[in-house]
Amino acid sequence: MEETNREAVATAVQRVAVMLHESNQLDKVEQYRRREARKKASVEARLKAAIQSQLDGVRTGLSQLHNALGDVKDIQNSLADVSKDWRQSINTIENLRDVKDAVVQHSQLASAVENLKNIFSVPEIVADTQVLIEQAELLEAHRKLMDLECSRDDLMYEQYRMDSKNTHDMNLIRNYFGQVQGLSDDLAKQLWMVLQRAMGTVRRDPTMLVSVVRIIEREEKIDRRMLDRKKQTGFIPPGRPKGWKEKMFEVLEGTVTTRIEGSQSVTREADKMWMVRLLEITRKNVLDDLIVVKNLMAQCFPPHYNTFDCFLKLYHNAVSMRVQELAAEDLEANEIVSLLTWVLNTYKSVEMMGHPELLTQNDINQMGPLLPQQVVDELLSKYVKTFTSNITGWLRKALETDKKDWFKETESEADQDGYYQTTLPAIVFQMFEQNLQVAAQIDEKFKEEVLKLCLKQMNSFLIRYREEVIAYKEDHLKDRQLPQCYVQYMIAIINNCHTFKESINSLKRKYLKSMEPTQNDAAIEKTLNDVAKDGCQFLLDEVFLDLEQHLNELLTRKWLQGSHAVDTICVTVEDYFNDFAKIKKPYNTEMTSEAHRRVVVEYIKAVMQKRISFKNADERREGADRMIKEAEQFKFLFRKLTAGEETDRLCDAIAALAEVFKLTDPTLLYLEVSTLVSKYPDIREEHIVALLAVRGDASRDMRQMIIETLNQNKPSNANTTQPIFKDITVSTVTMTSMSSSMAATANKLLK
């Protein structure tokens, strides 16, 4: 307490010091004192009120405890009086035991008297009931059966009440009514038979089905009553509870299962389309049955049965079990697709469970899938594996068939625009299209997966295709007379590459949501370009094999004296390109450009091979004029073949070489060669040496000077758009002799 007082004083001193820390605040001391006095009075008042409230609560609690003590004493006295009265009444209860036994005996006798008529007429009632059951008078038969069971159960209950341990009398009653249980079983068989035929019965005689349901409802009420009595007395009549309602649903479930399992009428051995037929029969039966249930059968059952929803679940479960059995079989690829298409699409569509007449609050989507996702994935995996194997075989067979056509003695077919083609692209992509249409029936994701698989197989197929084309060319080179239509079929092969590209793009547009490149696109594009490029090269090889003899005449003495080699070359090339016109763009354009380049290169090679060395200025002029003329012939030819496109630069290279030969003043030779090098920066030293050797009048010193000067001032060929001399080699013999001459010149200069 002292510590608290010290803290309070210290706090007060601190507050006063804060308030009076300036001299001008001393005038307000009285004002501060009054304010603090008011605060103190307020705190004391609140404290007094709180203490008074606590005292009032304690006073009230003491009063309630006093009253409770009085109530406890009163209850104690009352319990003592009750205990006294109970002890006095024990003797009275013992005296009433005889009265109790008399009451029980009277009850038994009353029950016996009440059922006396039925007891004596049991055999007669049993016989009548049996006849009614056989005549399908089910309601009347059940009424008599209930009378018999009621008499038996009442007698057995009274016997149980009188002496539950007297099994002799109990068995006597049971044996006397022994035929009643047989009647119950016979009636049940009739009920189950009607339920098994419910779909037909409800169309033909719905009252029969209503009678069955009424009987089952009566038995359910009796079962509930007997079970309630068992809880009170421990007695239950024989055969109870019958549980006919539960049995009814078991029978209906078995009936539905039987109808689903009985849909298969054919096997795979008898009909390849057995799966499609089975699923269609199942679809039709389920739809027809559920429409009957909703429109007819539901009215025969009490509303609380939710008949249609119950049958919807029964059919769903039965169909699910059936399709799982089918999925477990060794299915072929087309059967897998048929099953999955039916399960994933048809089942929930308007053709079946989504039919307008079946729409209810119970959504079929809430019942779960017919097949577990794991089973679906396994089937899809199996289909992909089978499809991969099949498509590999199909593509191989298609290629073998196409190869046989290559060796025919008749020309390849042409499309509506006159371009040669074979049936291979159409066969391949018809095959892909069919499988993609099938895959699309399952779902979008699987369709795209199948398309990617097709493209992957396409890439492998094109690699084999290229190998076969190369082998086809090699076979042809063994005997160029065979096959007779080699050129036409090679053109068709090139055109097929264009068709393959178009077909692939068409499939992607049709079956892919996005046109983004797939992982196989680049490989397919490259392989197709390689096949087309090879085909064009093979055709050009064919052309230049025919031109070889005439190309060998170029820049020879025979040529200088008036050979018609170039005329023949032009005629031959034009003749071939009449056939090559049936090659589709861009391959046609690329091939024409390559032929143009190759002709010029072969011509320049003839120059570089030093087949001739001009003896004098007249020969040089005559040779140069001939080269310029022939360059113009090539220009005219390839302008014609390229429909007027620019073709001059390549042919101008021939004319530029001719200008070197045509020059009459050897002292200007360096300038002419420099001009040539500036136009064609890819020209090399050995080309110039060979060129000067063909001219025939350049001295060794001049050749050496020209080469050295050009080497010092040679322009860069990095920006050459169309190199000509890059692939032209100079014969070893020519270069060796030139090198020896240049070495001798160098030695002289050194000396």
Side-chain angles (χ1 to χ4, degrees):
M1 190 68 179
E2 292 179 358
E3 182 68 24
T4 303
N5 289 335
R6 283 197 298 271
E7 291 179 358
V9 170
T11 303
V13 169
Q14 185 178 4
R15 290 185 60 191
V16 170
V18 170
M19 285 187 292
L20 303 178
H21 72 283
E22 294 181 3
S23 58
N24 59 358
Q25 291 179 329
L26 294 175
D27 297 339
K28 299 180 180 180
V29 170
E30 185 63 25
Q31 182 180 349
Y32 291 151
R33 188 186 63 76
R34 287 195 300 269
R35 187 176 67 185
E36 293 300 322
R38 287 195 298 272
K39 287 184 179 180
K40 180 180 178 183
S42 174
V43 171
E44 290 177 349
R46 288 199 300 272
L47 182 61
K48 289 179 181 179
I51 293 172
Q52 184 64 40
S53 175
Q54 291 292 331
L55 291 174
D56 291 342
V58 171
R59 190 180 295 111
T60 302
L62 290 173
S63 176
Q64 290 177 348
L65 288 173
H66 181 73
N67 294 336
L69 181 63
D71 293 339
V72 169
K73 290 180 179 180
D74 292 340
I75 292 170
Q76 188 177 9
N77 294 332
S78 298
L79 288 174
D81 295 339
V82 170
S83 177
K84 182 179 178 180
D85 293 340
W86 176 72
R87 291 190 183 93
Q88 293 176 354
S89 65
I90 291 176
N91 295 331
T92 303
I93 293 172
E94 290 293 331
N95 294 333
L96 292 176
R97 184 177 296 280
D98 294 338
V99 176
K100 178 182 177 182
D101 294 340
V103 169
V104 171
Q105 187 176 8
H106 179 270
S107 175
Q108 292 174 343
L109 292 173
S111 177
V113 170
E114 182 180 352
N115 294 287
L116 191 60
K117 180 179 179 181
N118 290 337
I119 291 173
F120 286 112
S121 59
V122 165
E124 180 182 351
I125 296 175
V126 168
D128 291 344
T129 305
Q130 189 67 48
V131 172
L132 290 172
I133 292 174
E134 293 173 356
Q135 294 177 351
E137 298 290 339
L138 301 182
L139 283 176
E140 185 63 23
H142 186 250
R143 186 184 64 77
K144 290 183 176 293
L145 177 62
M146 284 194 301
D147 291 342
L148 290 172
E149 289 179 338
C150 183
S151 299
R152 179 197 64 184
D153 297 345
D154 288 348
L155 290 173
M156 294 183 72
Y157 176 64
E158 295 301 333
Q159 176 61 38
Y160 179 84
R161 289 177 60 194
M162 183 175 67
D163 186 4
S164 60
K165 297 181 180 179
N166 188 349
T167 57
H168 178 270
D169 291 346
M170 194 71 77
N171 289 333
L172 183 65
I173 298 172
R174 183 183 287 109
N175 292 335
Y176 185 75
F177 286 91
Q179 292 178 302
V180 174
Q181 186 61 43
L183 289 176
S184 178
D185 294 340
D186 291 342
L187 179 60
K189 290 179 181 178
Q190 289 293 325
L191 299 182
W192 311 146
M193 189 179 299
V194 173
L195 289 173
Q196 288 170 354
R197 302 171 181 172
M199 290 298 171
T201 301
V202 77
R203 292 184 176 97
R204 184 179 63 257
D205 185 9
T207 56
M208 177 67 75
L209 186 59
V210 173
S211 299
V212 170
V213 176
R214 289 179 60 187
I215 292 170
I216 292 173
E217 279 291 289
R218 290 175 185 173
E219 290 294 339
E220 277 294 300
K221 291 180 181 178
I222 297 173
D223 279 349
R224 288 194 295 271
R225 189 167 67 247
M226 293 297 106
L227 290 173
D228 291 341
R229 188 165 68 177
K230 180 184 179 182
K231 292 178 182 178
Q232 297 174 0
T233 65
F235 173 75
I236 187 77
R240 293 287 176 185
K242 292 184 178 180
W244 279 7
K245 182 177 180 180
E246 183 179 352
K247 179 64 177 176
M248 174 184 69
F249 284 109
E250 291 179 2
V251 171
L252 290 174
E253 183 177 1
T255 301
V256 170
T257 302
T258 301
R259 289 182 67 81
I260 298 300
E261 292 179 348
S263 300
Q264 184 167 346
S265 58
V266 293
T267 61
R268 181 186 291 128
E269 291 74 17
D271 187 354
K272 291 295 183 182
M273 300 296 291
W274 69 276
M275 178 67 77
V276 175
R277 294 183 183 277
L278 166 61
L279 295 174
E280 177 58 22
I281 293 172
T282 302
R283 182 200 67 80
K284 189 175 184 304
N285 288 347
V286 170
L287 180 60
D288 292 346
D289 288 355
L290 288 176
I291 290 176
V292 169
V293 170
K294 184 175 184 181
N295 296 333
L296 298 177
M297 193 177 293
Q299 283 71 36
C300 299
F301 290 80
H304 66 273
Y305 273 44
N306 294 322
T307 305
F308 179 72
D309 291 340
C310 289
F311 270 91
L312 195 65
K313 293 177 181 177
L314 290 177
Y315 273 95
H316 177 79
N317 294 335
V319 172
S320 178
M321 290 177 60
R322 182 58 178 145
V323 295
Q324 289 186 51
E325 290 174 0
L326 292 172
E329 296 185 12
D330 186 16
L331 299 179
E332 297 177 357
N334 62 320
E335 295 168 352
I336 292 174
V337 171
S338 298
L339 180 62
L340 289 179
T341 301
W342 193 88
V343 168
L344 300 177
N345 298 315
T346 304
Y347 182 72
K348 295 181 181 180
S349 69
V350 294
E351 297 178 359
M352 196 171 176
M353 292 304 197
H355 194 278
E357 291 194 45
L358 303 183
L359 295 179
T360 64
Q361 294 180 350
N362 195 346
D363 188 0
I364 190 65
N365 293 316
Q366 298 176 355
M367 295 186 185
L370 286 180
L371 285 176
Q373 188 59 42
Q374 180 182 356
V375 177
V376 173
D377 293 340
E378 289 174 356
L379 287 175
L380 290 176
S381 177
K382 182 178 180 181
Y383 173 81
V384 168
K385 183 177 180 181
T386 305
F387 171 70
T388 303
S389 176
N390 288 344
I391 201 169
T392 302
W394 293 334
L395 291 172
R396 185 182 296 111
K397 185 177 180 181
L399 182 53
E400 291 297 327
T401 303
D402 202 57
K403 280 171 55 182
K404 292 179 182 178
D405 291 343
W406 298 351
F407 294 90
K408 287 182 177 180
E409 296 180 358
T410 56
E411 289 187 357
S412 174
E413 297 179 359
D415 62 12
Q416 64 273 17
D417 297 322
Y419 294 112
Y420 286 136
Q421 63 178 6
T422 68
T423 58
L424 182 62
I427 293 173
V428 170
F429 284 96
Q430 183 180 9
M431 185 193 314
F432 287 170
E433 179 80 22
Q434 290 173 353
N435 284 278
L436 286 168
Q437 287 176 357
V438 169
Q441 296 174 7
I442 297 177
D443 59 32
E444 289 293 321
K445 182 179 178 181
F446 183 65
K447 175 192 67 177
E448 294 187 3
E449 182 180 347
V450 170
L451 176 55
K452 292 177 182 177
L453 178 61
C454 288
L455 294 178
K456 181 179 179 181
Q457 292 298 315
M458 184 68 187
N459 186 38
S460 301
F461 164 75
L462 289 174
I463 293 173
R464 292 195 300 273
Y465 188 51
R466 185 185 182 193
E467 293 172 353
E468 295 296 340
V469 172
I470 294 173
Y472 180 55
K473 184 264 298 187
E474 291 174 350
D475 287 342
H476 171 69
L477 291 180
K478 295 175 183 177
D479 182 357
R480 293 187 61 214
Q481 301 302 316
L482 296 175
Q484 295 182 8
C485 297
Y486 169 80
V487 172
Q488 289 79 2
Y489 278 99
M490 189 60 73
I491 291 173
I493 290 169
I494 297 170
N495 289 337
N496 285 349
C497 295
H498 184 271
T499 306
F500 277 130
K501 287 184 179 181
E502 289 184 337
S503 299
I504 289 172
N505 291 332
S506 176
L507 286 181
K508 289 172 64 178
R509 284 193 299 270
K510 187 173 182 180
Y511 293 102
L512 282 182
K513 291 182 178 179
S514 172
M515 285 299 291
E516 294 182 2
T518 65
Q519 60 181 359
N520 294 299
D521 285 356
I524 290 175
E525 181 79 13
K526 181 181 182 303
T527 308
L528 284 172
N529 288 336
D530 288 344
V531 173
K533 183 177 179 181
D534 288 346
C536 292
Q537 190 65 41
F538 298 158
L539 289 176
L540 289 178
D541 289 344
E542 187 74 7
V543 176
F544 281 89
L545 282 173
D546 286 348
L547 297 179
E548 184 175 4
Q549 176 184 352
H550 307 291
L551 290 171
N552 289 335
E553 289 185 12
L554 296 176
L555 274 294
T556 62
R557 285 291 167 187
K558 182 179 179 181
W559 167 80
L560 188 60
Q561 293 170 2
S563 169
H564 297 286
V566 171
D567 296 334
T568 306
I569 290 171
C570 291
V571 170
T572 304
V573 169
E574 185 173 5
D575 182 56
Y576 269 104
F577 270 83
N578 286 334
D579 287 336
F580 297 165
K582 296 183 179 180
I583 299 176
K584 293 182 179 180
K585 292 182 177 181
Y587 305 129
N588 180 292
T589 304
E590 293 173 359
M591 189 172 178
T592 305
S593 298
E594 180 59 25
H596 183 195
R597 173 182 173 77
R598 192 161 170 181
V599 166
V600 173
V601 168
E602 290 295 330
Y603 195 101
I604 295 175
K605 278 183 179 180
V607 176
M608 298 302 169
Q609 288 174 359
K610 197 191 172 190
R611 299 174 182 175
I612 187 174
S613 179
F614 297 123
K615 297 178 180 179
N616 50 52
D618 291 338
E619 284 190 357
R620 285 192 289 275
R621 185 183 65 256
E622 184 179 351
D625 291 342
R626 191 171 186 82
M627 289 174 65
I628 293 171
K629 175 185 176 184
E630 290 172 349
E632 291 297 324
Q633 284 183 264
F634 289 145
K635 284 183 182 180
F636 177 79
L637 170 65
F638 286 104
R639 282 176 182 171
K640 182 178 180 182
L641 295 180
T642 56
E645 294 182 10
E646 179 60 40
T647 61
D648 290 350
R649 188 176 188 281
L650 286 170
C651 295
D652 285 345
I654 299 175
L657 295 179
E659 292 298 331
V660 175
F661 298 147
K662 194 175 182 180
L663 185 67
T664 57
D665 187 356
T667 59
L668 300 176
L669 192 57
Y670 168 73
L671 294 176
E672 192 66 43
V673 173
S674 298
T675 303
L676 175 66
V677 173
S678 65
K679 288 183 179 179
Y680 303 96
D682 60 316
I683 195 167
R684 300 191 299 275
E685 178 181 327
E686 58 265 30
H687 297 143
I688 297 172
V689 171
L691 191 62
L692 295 176
V694 173
R695 178 177 169 86
D697 65 340
S699 64
R700 293 176 182 176
D701 294 341
M702 182 180 292
R703 288 198 297 265
Q704 182 66 21
M705 184 269 294
I706 291 173
I707 293 299
E708 290 178 354
T709 307
L710 288 177
N711 284 337
Q712 293 174 3
N713 303 300
K714 188 172 182 179
S716 172
N717 59 357
N719 298 323
T720 305
T721 57
Q722 195 176 19
I724 300 173
F725 293 88
K726 184 178 73 170
D727 299 326
I728 299 176
T729 59
V730 179
S731 64
T732 306
V733 176
T734 302
M735 281 305 302
T736 302
S737 60
M738 293 297 108
S739 299
S740 300
S741 300
M742 291 174 66
T745 303
N747 290 331
K748 289 181 179 180
L749 291 173
L750 289 173
K751 289 179 181 180

